[in-house]
Amino acid sequence: MIRISDEVQQALHEGRGVVALETTLVAHGFPPGEGVAVGLGSEAAVRDGGSVPATIGVLDGTVIVGLTVPELERFNAAARKLGPRDLAAAVVQGAPGATTVGGTLSVCKAVGIRFMATGGLGGVHRGWPTPPDVSADLGVLAQTRALVVSSGVKSLLDVPATAELLETLGVPVLGWRTDELPLFYAARGGPPVSARIESAEEAAQIAAAHWELQGGGLVVGRPPDESLDDVEPLIELALAAAAAENVHGQGVTPFVLDYLHRESGGRTLAANRDLIIGNARLAGAIAASS
Ligand code: PSU
Ligand code: MN
């Protein structure tokens, strides 16, 4: 049911750094065609950092850990979005499926990968409990020995509420050379992190200690290199437009991203791409020093 590429298998066997990458952002996070370039750029960045990338998704009834380029190119808007609850059905039904952070971490747990990189984690939606929507990313993260590098959580979420829930779940939130959890596009203004770190070695040491103490997942929040400080009003407009057009559930994130990309003249798209690739590089360096 699970196929691990030879390169990833060998790296795991030799105890080298391996960094998992998700496919939801490839299939659903960028305009058609651009997601694959971001996926390949992330893989190159993990290698830059000194580790082996393992991009994960479901094709032809198999969970693949370490997709080839032609396989990665099959991830487009037609792929199902696979959270942890959706993996088994996609496998049995032979449907192409792009894994979210939670779906990817479930596979990491099954195969023993301890590091992952992404753009933003899922979390608590604004206005909770209407909608009563909290991402499955958080529950899986709490139960999985893995360190995830992200630029915080998705920008359209309630970031302080998500940070509180991460605390409730016992998930350390480490700030990469910052005291605040980044707000995805913006570097500053987020809730406080549980500890600030200055180096990849420090992140790897804290993760190792957390796991020895029987802890599960950790987040490293890396701020974008170029902070966009004027996106929040656009996010509010995008969410209002989504509500007005009756967009709900899984449709909200692609709708909001598309709205932001259009209304910012492409600045949010470039920022999103750059931060994902920067996070992959850092995750590569942390995994390599573990
Ligand atoms: N951040 C983005 N675009 C995305 C996601 C995050 O900028 O597409 C995806 C990630 O795969 C994340 C998922 O795990 O959204 C969370 O979705 P949900 O809230 O439905 O659990
Ligand atoms: Mn959700």
Side-chain angles (χ1 to χ4, degrees):
M1 187 160 57
I2 302 181
R3 193 198 80 201
I4 308 179
S5 73
D6 291 345
E7 187 192 19
V8 171
Q9 186 91 63
Q10 193 172 345
L12 286 172
H13 182 73
E14 291 170 359
R16 292 181 52 206
V18 175
V19 175
L21 300 168
E22 58 155 305
T23 34
T24 288
L25 60 87
V26 173
H28 305 293
F30 288 89
E34 294 190 40
V36 172
V38 174
L40 293 174
S42 304
E43 291 190 352
V46 168
R47 290 187 197 284
D48 254 19
S51 293
V52 171
T55 305
I56 293 177
V58 176
L59 288 174
D60 309 318
T62 303
V63 178
I64 302 174
V65 179
L67 291 160
T68 64
V69 176
E71 285 168 345
L72 188 65
E73 285 170 347
R74 291 175 60 190
F75 286 84
N76 55 40
R80 285 188 195 175
K81 176 176 167 182
L82 305 185
R85 70 168 186 179
D86 307 305
L87 287 166
V91 166
V92 171
Q93 296 173 345
T99 52
T100 64
V101 171
T104 305
L105 287 174
S106 298
V107 178
C108 288
K109 192 174 191 177
V111 303
I113 295 176
R114 296 291 185 97
F115 300 91
M116 177 179 179
T118 189
L121 291 165
V124 182
H125 279 258
R126 295 186 192 189
W128 188 90
T130 45
D133 188 339
V134 178
S135 174
D137 288 357
L138 301 185
V140 179
L141 180 63
Q143 298 165 7
T144 305
R145 291 187 168 191
L147 178 152
V148 181
V149 180
S150 76
S151 296
V153 303
K154 293 201 282 196
S155 63
L156 69 168
L157 299 175
D158 182 335
V159 181
T162 305
E164 287 293 339
L165 186 48
L166 286 166
E167 179 177 356
T168 302
L169 292 169
V171 175
V173 176
L174 310 176
W176 174 252
R177 298 175 180 167
T178 177
D179 298 311
E180 297 164 353
L181 184 63
L183 295 173
F184 201 76
Y185 300 112
R188 305 291 312 275
V193 295
S194 59
R196 176 186 176 121
I197 56 170
E198 302 294 339
S199 70
E201 292 71 26
E202 197 179 8
Q205 283 171 8
I206 292 172
H210 187 59
W211 296 330
E212 204 172 316
L213 294 165
Q214 305 305 310
L218 308 88
V219 175
V220 169
R222 192 191 70 91
D225 294 313
E226 271 180 65
S227 181
L228 297 186
D229 297 328
D230 54 355
V231 182
E232 178 55 31
L234 281 182
I235 295 169
E236 277 160 33
L237 288 171
L239 287 170
E245 293 182 33
N246 237 326
V247 179
H248 293 298
Q250 291 198 354
V252 176
T253 298
F255 180 96
V256 168
L257 291 177
D258 191 54
Y259 186 103
L260 296 179
H261 296 162
R262 235 181 15 254
E263 295 298 318
S264 70
R267 285 188 305 133
T268 59
L269 188 137
N272 201 343
R273 182 192 58 217
D274 293 350
L275 67 83
I276 288 168
I277 288 173
N279 293 345
R281 187 171 293 113
L282 177 57
I286 295 171
S289 64
S290 72

